[in-house]
Amino acid sequence: MLKPLGDRVILEVQKEEEHTVGGIVLAGNAKEKPQTAKVVAVGTGRILKNGTKLEMTLKEGDVVVFDKYAGAQVEYDGHDYLIMREKDILAIVE
Amino acid sequence: MLKPLGDRVILEVQKEEEHTVGGIVLAGNAKEKPQTAKVVAVGTGRILKNGTKLEMTLKEGDVVVFDKYAGAQVEYDGHDYLIMREKDILAIVE
Amino acid sequence: MLKPLGDRVILEVQKEEEHTVGGIVLAGNAKEKPQTAKVVAVGTGRILKNGTKLEMTLKEGDVVVFDKYAGAQVEYDGHDYLIMREKDILAIVE
Amino acid sequence: MLKPLGDRVILEVQKEEEHTVGGIVLAGNAKEKPQTAKVVAVGTGRILKNGTKLEMTLKEGDVVVFDKYAGAQVEYDGHDYLIMREKDILAIVE
Amino acid sequence: MLKPLGDRVILEVQKEEEHTVGGIVLAGNAKEKPQTAKVVAVGTGRILKNGTKLEMTLKEGDVVVFDKYAGAQVEYDGHDYLIMREKDILAIVE
Amino acid sequence: MLKPLGDRVILEVQKEEEHTVGGIVLAGNAKEKPQTAKVVAVGTGRILKNGTKLEMTLKEGDVVVFDKYAGAQVEYDGHDYLIMREKDILAIVE
Amino acid sequence: MLKPLGDRVILEVQKEEEHTVGGIVLAGNAKEKPQTAKVVAVGTGRILKNGTKLEMTLKEGDVVVFDKYAGAQVEYDGHDYLIMREKDILAIVE
């Protein structure tokens, strides 16, 4: 089990054949390619400069659109995960 | 349905033949090419450094001029969308 | 009608033959070329980090000197406009 | 004995044959290659801009996923260590 | 008449033959070449992040040493001017 | 005698044959090569943005691991010194 | 007479044959070459973000070690001067 630090989230990357789940098809933009993924774990939140903690907006189970170039890839128990900051998540698929 | 995070907005890109709707024709400037689009969803606002939330200025239905190089392209249910921060919106067409 | 967001202003670019109106002739400096323009619309002001709004210094009708490389070009109803932040305006011609 | 300064941690790098301990196998991503390591020492915390100290989240013994390009390598008493800031730690393996 | 915005000043550039007026001769340093000029107009001051205005240190008539690469060139009524921020002024010649 | 300003420290560089004193042997990493040194002088501390002074953590006599590329080299009375900010010190050898 | 602005200091550069005065001989480091100089004038201090002024640490007559690449060269009444910010002064020679 991976627990992200700070305002990071762990995303389970959608498989190629799942790319149209939720109706999202991504444009072929070489400069910036957002993708969808499911949130599987969220951190405890970002510490603001005055020391207070900002709660996470995302929660486990959310399907999100994120910037493809954000985050770090990790493989754990046969699954591909991405770890990135919540600020790199563009939108939630509702 | 896509719900943008933070101070992001989702824009429905105006089609090529709609480029003169609202009277806007964009100058051929290779360095920076603003465009028009309709706001279809807005985030909940930006969190300031002291932890308070700044309300969004834009609302659904606004037609805006934006910096072409800002934002990420997403295609959803056959529509082209752009997701960008409100700060990258230059002006509202009234 | 274009309404700029935040601390942006919309400038009506002075035509080539109007470049000496107000007595301003711009030096031929390849690195930075300021120009004059008339302010045709101003935003509502910049939000400071503590959440308060800073009023605009410029008002409609001001003739200003600006940094040529700042802002984005827009053509609207046959006029050329520039949209830039007030901080990129160098001086007012009085 | 090495004692890290500020919000730094000292990590004992997992040996090649230990790369699957905890179930983590890292993806072959040339751009960013996170790795696992065990925390062997933690600093006293980060000083916020208002002068207060932010306690460390990590503690001795934690197994963490970190960004491979973060930190500085040190060899001490025959062990390989990495010294990096807590903010470069991506997640804890629980 | 040009009125600088914010913490900008307008400098009247010293002519080549006036370069030794005030006793200043500038070193031939290709990397950074400060010069002298007379202040002919000052802005109303810089707005600090808490919203208060910081008064200008310079006043009309001051002769200053400035960083040659700072500011924008403007020619007005036959005079060469430089518009730059007060922070780019290095020293006052007293 | 050299007295460092602000939050700087002056380090007496360990001679090559002293590189294993304290048990530290540094890894051959071309990108970042930390080294050990003895602290011979410390500044009075860093001024925080609210104007208060943050006391130094290091004291004279501490043996530290630092980032090789940080700081400036000075030779004084036949000794090699390095002057760098305390924030570039990675750890104390205890 | 030159009066530096803000937290700047004016340094009288030590002549080549004076390089060992005070016992300082500088290492031949192509990346960063600090030098010694005498402080001949100091500014009134740095304005912090909350608007309060931070007094200067240096005073006229101090001999200092500075980063060679900092500051701007000025020649005045036959003397070579350097104008730089106090934060670029590394240490005082006592």
Side-chain angles (χ1 to χ4, degrees):
Chain A
M1 176 73 190
L2 295 180
K3 175 128 197 66
L5 259 74
D7 62 337
R8 289 183 178 86
V9 295
I10 301 187
L11 305 179
E12 187 170 9
V13 183
Q14 307 284 317
K15 296 289 191 307
E16 290 273 319
E17 66 273 18
E18 292 171 355
H19 258 212
T20 58
V21 165
I24 303 274
V25 180
L26 298 166
N29 182 345
K31 210 179 108 225
E32 193 170 3
K33 302 176 195 154
Q35 291 182 315
T36 56
K38 188 186 291 185
V39 176
V40 296
V42 300
T44 53
R46 182 162 56 104
I47 302 299
L48 296 173
K49 292 207 174 174
N50 60 10
T52 62
K53 186 182 292 187
L54 184 63
E55 296 301 317
M56 300 294 283
T57 297
L58 297 171
K59 62 181 184 304
E60 244 187 86
D62 283 342
V63 176
V64 296
V65 181
F66 62 93
D67 184 332
K68 186 183 179 178
Y69 295 109
Q73 295 183 10
V74 177
E75 187 183 329
Y76 180 79
D77 275 351
H79 295 269
D80 283 333
Y81 295 111
L82 270 169
I83 305 179
M84 65 180 66
R85 296 182 176 278
E86 190 177 81
K87 73 177 176 59
D88 292 320
I89 304 296
L90 303 175
I92 303 178
V93 181
E94 290 186 332
Chain B
M1 175 72 190
L2 296 179
K3 176 131 195 64
L5 259 74
D7 61 338
R8 288 184 178 85
V9 295
I10 301 187
L11 305 179
E12 188 170 8
V13 182
Q14 307 284 317
K15 297 288 191 306
E16 289 272 320
E17 64 273 18
E18 293 171 354
H19 258 211
T20 58
V21 165
I24 303 273
V25 181
L26 298 165
N29 182 344
K31 210 179 109 224
E32 193 171 3
K33 303 177 195 152
Q35 291 181 316
T36 56
K38 188 187 291 185
V39 176
V40 296
V42 300
T44 52
R46 181 161 57 104
I47 303 298
L48 295 175
K49 293 207 172 171
N50 61 10
T52 63
K53 186 182 293 187
L54 184 63
E55 296 301 318
M56 300 294 283
T57 297
L58 297 171
K59 62 181 183 304
E60 243 186 87
D62 283 342
V63 177
V64 296
V65 182
F66 62 92
D67 184 333
K68 186 184 178 178
Y69 295 109
Q73 295 182 9
V74 177
E75 187 183 329
Y76 180 78
D77 276 349
H79 296 269
D80 284 332
Y81 296 112
L82 270 168
I83 304 179
M84 65 180 67
R85 297 182 176 279
E86 190 178 80
K87 74 176 175 60
D88 292 320
I89 304 296
L90 303 175
I92 303 177
V93 180
E94 290 187 332
Chain C
M1 176 72 191
L2 296 180
K3 176 129 194 67
L5 259 75
D7 61 337
R8 288 184 178 87
V9 295
I10 301 187
L11 305 179
E12 188 170 8
V13 182
Q14 308 283 318
K15 299 286 190 308
E16 289 272 320
E17 65 273 19
E18 293 171 354
H19 257 210
T20 58
V21 165
I24 303 273
V25 181
L26 298 165
N29 182 345
K31 211 180 106 223
E32 193 170 2
K33 303 176 195 154
Q35 291 181 316
T36 57
K38 188 187 290 183
V39 176
V40 295
V42 300
T44 52
R46 181 160 58 102
I47 303 298
L48 296 175
K49 294 208 171 171
N50 60 9
T52 63
K53 186 182 294 187
L54 184 63
E55 296 301 317
M56 301 292 284
T57 296
L58 297 171
K59 62 181 183 307
E60 244 186 87
D62 282 343
V63 177
V64 296
V65 182
F66 62 93
D67 185 332
K68 186 184 178 177
Y69 295 110
Q73 295 182 9
V74 177
E75 188 184 328
Y76 180 79
D77 276 350
H79 296 269
D80 284 333
Y81 295 113
L82 270 168
I83 304 179
M84 66 181 64
R85 297 182 176 279
E86 190 179 81
K87 74 176 176 59
D88 291 320
I89 305 295
L90 304 175
I92 303 177
V93 180
E94 291 187 332
Chain D
M1 176 73 191
L2 295 180
K3 175 131 197 64
L5 259 75
D7 61 337
R8 289 184 177 85
V9 294
I10 301 186
L11 305 179
E12 188 169 9
V13 183
Q14 308 283 318
K15 297 289 190 307
E16 290 273 321
E17 66 272 18
E18 293 171 355
H19 258 213
T20 59
V21 166
I24 302 275
V25 180
L26 299 165
N29 182 347
K31 210 179 107 226
E32 195 171 2
K33 302 175 196 156
Q35 291 182 315
T36 56
K38 188 187 291 186
V39 177
V40 295
V42 300
T44 53
R46 182 160 58 103
I47 303 298
L48 296 174
K49 293 207 174 174
N50 60 11
T52 61
K53 186 181 293 186
L54 184 63
E55 296 301 317
M56 301 293 284
T57 297
L58 296 171
K59 61 181 186 303
E60 245 187 84
D62 282 343
V63 176
V64 296
V65 181
F66 62 94
D67 184 332
K68 185 185 180 176
Y69 295 108
Q73 295 183 10
V74 176
E75 187 182 330
Y76 181 79
D77 276 352
H79 295 269
D80 284 332
Y81 295 112
L82 272 169
I83 304 179
M84 66 180 66
R85 297 183 176 278
E86 190 177 82
K87 73 176 176 60
D88 292 320
I89 303 297
L90 303 175
I92 304 178
V93 181
E94 289 185 332
Chain E
M1 176 72 192
L2 296 179
K3 176 130 195 66
L5 259 74
D7 60 337
R8 289 185 178 85
V9 295
I10 301 187
L11 304 180
E12 188 171 8
V13 181
Q14 308 284 318
K15 300 285 189 310
E16 289 273 319
E17 64 273 19
E18 292 171 354
H19 257 209
T20 58
V21 166
I24 303 275
V25 181
L26 298 165
N29 182 345
K31 211 178 106 225
E32 193 171 1
K33 302 176 195 155
Q35 290 181 316
T36 57
K38 189 187 289 185
V39 176
V40 295
V42 301
T44 52
R46 182 160 58 103
I47 302 299
L48 296 175
K49 294 207 171 172
N50 61 10
T52 62
K53 187 182 294 186
L54 184 63
E55 297 301 319
M56 301 292 285
T57 297
L58 295 172
K59 61 180 183 308
E60 244 186 87
D62 282 344
V63 177
V64 296
V65 181
F66 63 93
D67 184 331
K68 186 184 179 178
Y69 295 109
Q73 294 182 11
V74 177
E75 186 184 329
Y76 180 78
D77 277 349
H79 295 269
D80 284 334
Y81 294 112
L82 270 168
I83 304 179
M84 68 180 63
R85 296 181 176 281
E86 190 178 82
K87 73 176 177 58
D88 292 320
I89 305 296
L90 303 174
I92 303 178
V93 179
E94 290 186 333
Chain F
M1 176 74 192
L2 296 180
K3 175 129 195 68
L5 259 74
D7 62 337
R8 289 184 178 86
V9 294
I10 301 187
L11 304 180
E12 187 170 8
V13 183
Q14 308 283 317
K15 299 287 191 307
E16 291 271 321
E17 65 271 20
E18 293 171 354
H19 257 211
T20 58
V21 165
I24 303 275
V25 180
L26 299 166
N29 182 346
K31 211 178 108 226
E32 194 172 2
K33 301 176 195 155
Q35 291 181 317
T36 55
K38 189 187 288 184
V39 176
V40 295
V42 300
T44 51
R46 182 159 57 103
I47 303 298
L48 296 174
K49 294 208 173 173
N50 60 10
T52 61
K53 186 181 296 187
L54 184 63
E55 297 301 318
M56 302 292 285
T57 297
L58 296 171
K59 61 181 185 303
E60 244 187 85
D62 282 343
V63 176
V64 296
V65 181
F66 62 93
D67 184 332
K68 186 184 181 178
Y69 294 108
Q73 294 183 11
V74 177
E75 186 182 330
Y76 180 78
D77 277 352
H79 295 269
D80 284 334
Y81 295 111
L82 272 169
I83 304 179
M84 67 180 65
R85 296 183 176 279
E86 190 177 82
K87 73 176 176 61
D88 292 320
I89 304 297
L90 303 175
I92 303 178
V93 181
E94 290 185 333
Chain G
M1 176 72 192
L2 296 180
K3 175 131 196 65
L5 259 75
D7 61 336
R8 288 184 178 86
V9 295
I10 302 186
L11 304 180
E12 188 171 6
V13 182
Q14 307 284 318
K15 299 287 190 308
E16 290 272 320
E17 65 271 19
E18 293 171 354
H19 256 210
T20 57
V21 166
I24 303 274
V25 181
L26 299 165
N29 182 346
K31 211 179 108 225
E32 194 172 2
K33 302 175 194 155
Q35 291 180 315
T36 56
K38 189 188 288 184
V39 177
V40 295
V42 300
T44 52
R46 182 160 57 103
I47 303 298
L48 296 175
K49 293 207 172 172
N50 61 10
T52 61
K53 186 181 295 185
L54 184 63
E55 297 300 318
M56 302 291 286
T57 297
L58 296 172
K59 61 181 185 306
E60 244 187 85
D62 282 344
V63 177
V64 296
V65 181
F66 61 94
D67 184 331
K68 186 184 180 178
Y69 295 109
Q73 294 183 11
V74 177
E75 186 183 328
Y76 180 78
D77 277 351
H79 295 270
D80 284 334
Y81 295 112
L82 271 169
I83 304 179
M84 67 179 64
R85 296 182 177 279
E86 190 178 82
K87 72 176 176 60
D88 292 319
I89 304 296
L90 303 174
I92 304 178
V93 180
E94 290 185 333

